[in-house]
Amino acid sequence: MDVEAKRIMALSISKLYSLRTQRGGLCLHRSLLLSMTMRAARDIYHTAQLLRDAEEEQVVPCAPDAAIEEPMEISKDSPQTLTPKEVAMKHQEPKETVEDDKENQCASERHSRKRRSKTAIEPDFLPLKKAKMDTDEEKQHLQGEVLRTNNGNSCRQAETLTAFPTNRAVVAC
Amino acid sequence: CAALRSGGGGNDVHWCFSQVKGAIDDDVAEADIISTVEFNHSGELLATGDKGGRVVIFQQETENKSQSQWRSEYNVYSTFQSHEPEFDYLKSLEIEEKINKIRWLPQKNAAQFLLSTNDKTIKLWKISERDKRPEGYNLKEEDGRYRDAATITTLRVPVFRPMDLMVEASPRRVFANAHTYHINSISVNSDNETYLSADDLRINLWHLEITDRSFNIVDIKPANMEELTEVITAAEFHPHQCNTFVYSSSKGTIRLCDMRASALCDKHSKLFEEPEDPSNRSFFSEIISSISDVKFSHNGRYMMTRDYLSVKIWDLNMENRPVETYQVHEYLRSKLCSLYENDCIFDKFECCWNGNDSVVMTGSYNNFFRMLDRSQRRDVTLEASRESCKPRQVLKPRRVCAGGKRKKDEISVDSLDFNKKILHTAWHPQENIIAVATTNNLYIFQEKVN
């Protein structure tokens, strides 16, 4: 399901980009439909991604220590499996982290701004602006996907992990 | 959902090939792609618009109407360049010359009038015939050269003499600069004085005589464009009630508005929406629920909407669901991902009613088109193809095999040619004559008469 979601997300992004070069100017209707599909796919993909990350976290060998047994018992009340709400919250957090990461974002924004002025996109087509910012994010994310292996050593993975509140980490172990 | 039995026989109309217009070769020039088809109110004239900004009008010959019941042919009456490509220097955007819609005005005098529109500008064209010319001027020769005044010794009265018929098209009004977004619809009001034009976010009301201003009657642009969730996809005036119009959205809803209620019709009088079937939910649910066309029935009691997979008939008095739903090509539902990849899922199919609102028609892929008989609960799939081009050749019903064993004469879904799409069709207002546009050809079919 998430493989499909990722494919549709990538497809949507490339279609959104190609819309800009089309004769006759931007088609608002199509951009809207593409953005909606892209977001739906992205949400599914992220959800699946986070679920996978959570699973991996649980799988990470963490020898049950007598010293931490007490804290484990206390936090046993909190659910082992992530509820959709928690997933949604987690989904928010990595995003915020990326947005705070201005240094990395600036370069792409500047680049995209330059591109925008060349094609002189009408300023009030903001949904596309948003989609574009998202797509830049997605592009980074996807590129990151391609480059990194799945052993969780990439910095993006680290960002995701550091965003987790500590008690959850304990639960996972 | 109305159940349909397919099949012929009985009182069904059999359709025959009549004519095909356009180039034969497979290499289609982009400018020749037909983008709109429309009969005038009497059905005598048939107009097409293309991507190159041209309008071609065909006229039905009246000479041999008395002979047999085979209706006469349509021949080229007038061809003119309606719109040219333009460049918006302020936004650095090219404005396509493609004709999005043509709408005829009801005839008031000898001349014919039509509205044609591209993405940004609507034009009113006057098409008039000239079959006489004045001869016998005193000061000019017949070829236009001025006579030497010294040679003029007598006076005569110029007279009109017959000449070869000449059809002239002249732009009488240009309605420009009123749309920020792309115009998708125009609709002439039953009052014959006003018309509306709709783009993605706004609908404007014009007076046919006044070009320097229009009234904005619908505006769905949000204050923050990031909150945009739907766009206007089509709009039409009610055929008899000059205060009523409808507009459809990309979310699958139709709003009926009454211009008497307020100047700005942002609040609808009625909202037509069918709850979504949760079992059909997919990534592409949003896209396929977008309405591509809305048309009132001739009697004004119903309206028809077309979305990607179906045609729905709505009773204007019932908002919560359509009274009839017809599947156009349900076998595509499992192929939506591929259709998204090749962009076919964004194709905007139109639909039309026959003269007495008993049958509706819409296009599909592989140059197939569908006739949906409301009264007899039958449907048939026909094909516009050069293979069936013998004069008066009866069209054979086509069948698509969705899966499993393919029967003889059936075509499998995977063999369908998705580049051959019929987006635009039109039905003669009184007779069983239909015009079906393939990519660059216009087919005219007529009812078989015994």
Side-chain angles (χ1 to χ4, degrees), chain A residues 4 7-8 11-12 15 23-26 28-30 32 34 36-37 41 120 122 124-127 130, chain B residues 91 94 97 180-182 200 221 225-226 228-229 231 233 250 283 287 290 337 340-341 343 346 348:
Chain A
E4 183 71 357
R7 193 169 78 86
I8 291 171
L11 197 56
S12 308
K15 283 181 191 296
R23 209 179 151 237
L26 202 71
L28 189 63
H29 185 194
R30 193 173 291 207
L32 184 67
L34 286 170
M36 283 172 137
T37 309
E122 182 171 9
D124 66 351
F125 281 124
L126 286 176
K130 185 177 200 273
Chain B
K91 296 172 188 170
E94 212 181 336
E97 66 276 28
T180 309
Y181 303 98
H182 293 167
D200 292 319
K221 184 178 178 186
M225 278 295 271
E226 295 202 12
L228 182 72
T229 54
V231 297
T233 51
S250 54
F283 283 120
I287 303 181
S290 178
C337 198
Y340 183 71
E341 275 180 64
D343 282 346
F346 299 106
K348 294 182 183 162

Side-chain angles (χ1 to χ4, degrees), chain B residues 168-442:
Chain B
E168 298 169 323
S170 58
R172 305 303 284 178
R173 305 271 187 276
V174 177
F175 304 91
N177 302 320
H179 287 278
T180 309
Y181 303 98
H182 293 167
I183 297 173
N184 52 56
S185 313
I186 46 174
S187 178
V188 184
N189 204 347
S190 51
D191 65 9
N192 289 337
E193 287 186 354
T194 57
Y195 75 94
L196 64 75
S197 58
D199 67 27
D200 292 319
L201 298 179
R202 298 190 179 101
I203 302 178
N204 293 331
L205 180 70
W206 302 84
H207 192 284
L208 285 163
E209 300 290 329
I210 299 167
T211 59
D212 63 353
R213 78 197 92 129
S214 68
F215 289 99
N216 177 244
I217 51 177
V218 173
D219 188 339
I220 65 168
K221 184 178 178 186
N224 181 2
M225 278 295 271
E226 295 202 12
E227 290 160 23
L228 182 72
T229 54
E230 66 182 328
V231 297
I232 298 168
T233 51
E236 192 177 62
F237 265 119
H238 190 278
H240 314 134
Q241 295 165 17
C242 58
N243 55 290
T244 305
F245 66 93
V246 292
Y247 68 92
S248 58
S249 84
S250 54
K251 277 197 154 167
T253 62
I254 309 101
R255 286 171 173 80
L256 185 141
C257 300
D258 186 337
M259 294 196 292
R260 297 171 302 187
S262 72
L264 189 62
C265 298
D266 275 359
K267 277 204 181 65
H268 52 263
S269 299
K270 296 193 185 189
L271 174 66
F272 297 84
E273 189 173 13
E274 184 176 28
E276 196 194 343
D277 181 358
S279 63
N280 277 335
R281 189 115 188 88
S282 76
F283 283 120
F284 312 107
S285 300
E286 299 270 8
I287 303 181
I288 63 168
S289 65
S290 178
I291 292 173
S292 50
D293 195 16
V294 65
K295 292 263 171 48
F296 276 106
S297 61
H298 291 95
N299 61 20
R301 289 172 50 199
Y302 300 95
M303 64 178 176
M304 161 167 57
T305 56
R306 175 68 155 99
D307 50 64
Y308 191 64
L309 297 178
S310 68
V311 160
K312 294 178 182 173
I313 311 283
W314 303 78
D315 184 322
L316 294 186
N317 295 318
M318 188 159 76
E319 297 168 60
N320 59 351
R321 60 178 175 82
V323 288
E324 294 155 37
T325 302
Y326 302 93
Q327 301 305 329
V328 179
H329 36 218
E330 183 67 11
Y331 46 79
L332 295 183
R333 194 181 288 276
S334 55
K335 310 279 178 195
L336 293 179
C337 198
S338 318
L339 294 164
Y340 183 71
E341 275 180 64
N342 62 17
D343 282 346
C344 284
I345 205 174
F346 299 106
D347 287 335
K348 294 182 183 162
F349 292 94
E350 291 173 11
C351 52
C352 59
W353 298 84
N354 73 340
N356 62 13
D357 301 330
S358 61
V359 186
V360 297
M361 168 168 63
T362 190
S364 178
Y365 294 103
N366 209 70
N367 282 349
F368 286 172
F369 59 99
R370 303 267 287 137
M371 309 285 260
L372 310 162
D373 191 329
R374 301 175 61 216
S375 47
Q376 295 198 25
R377 292 281 191 263
R378 288 182 197 280
D379 65 295
V380 69
T381 305
L382 301 172
E383 183 180 359
S385 139
R386 292 265 177 187
E387 317 277 307
S388 330
C389 273
K390 290 199 268 300
R392 311 197 189 182
Q393 179 176 359
V394 176
L395 295 180
K396 210 174 61 157
R398 308 284 296 170
R399 272 192 173 76
V400 177
C401 167
K405 199 167 159 58
R406 187 176 73 88
K407 299 193 193 86
K408 178 176 171 293
D409 283 350
E410 276 186 355
I411 179 166
S412 73
V413 181
D414 299 314
S415 313
L416 294 173
D417 188 343
F418 290 94
N419 290 319
K420 291 188 178 166
K421 49 192 91 172
I422 291 177
L423 303 174
H424 312 286
T425 59
W427 205 309
H428 190 289
Q430 279 118 34
E431 297 169 18
N432 274 339
I433 301 174
I434 55 175
V436 172
T438 58
T439 308
N440 65 330
N441 285 166
L442 184 72

Side-chain angles (χ1 to χ4, degrees), chain A residues 5-24:
Chain A
K6 181 176 162 183
R7 193 169 78 86
I8 291 171
M9 200 170 72
L11 197 56
S12 308
I13 290 163
S14 69
K15 283 181 191 296
L16 277 165
Y17 271 112
S18 68
L19 266 190
R20 286 146 188 258
T21 54
Q22 267 184 21
R23 209 179 151 237

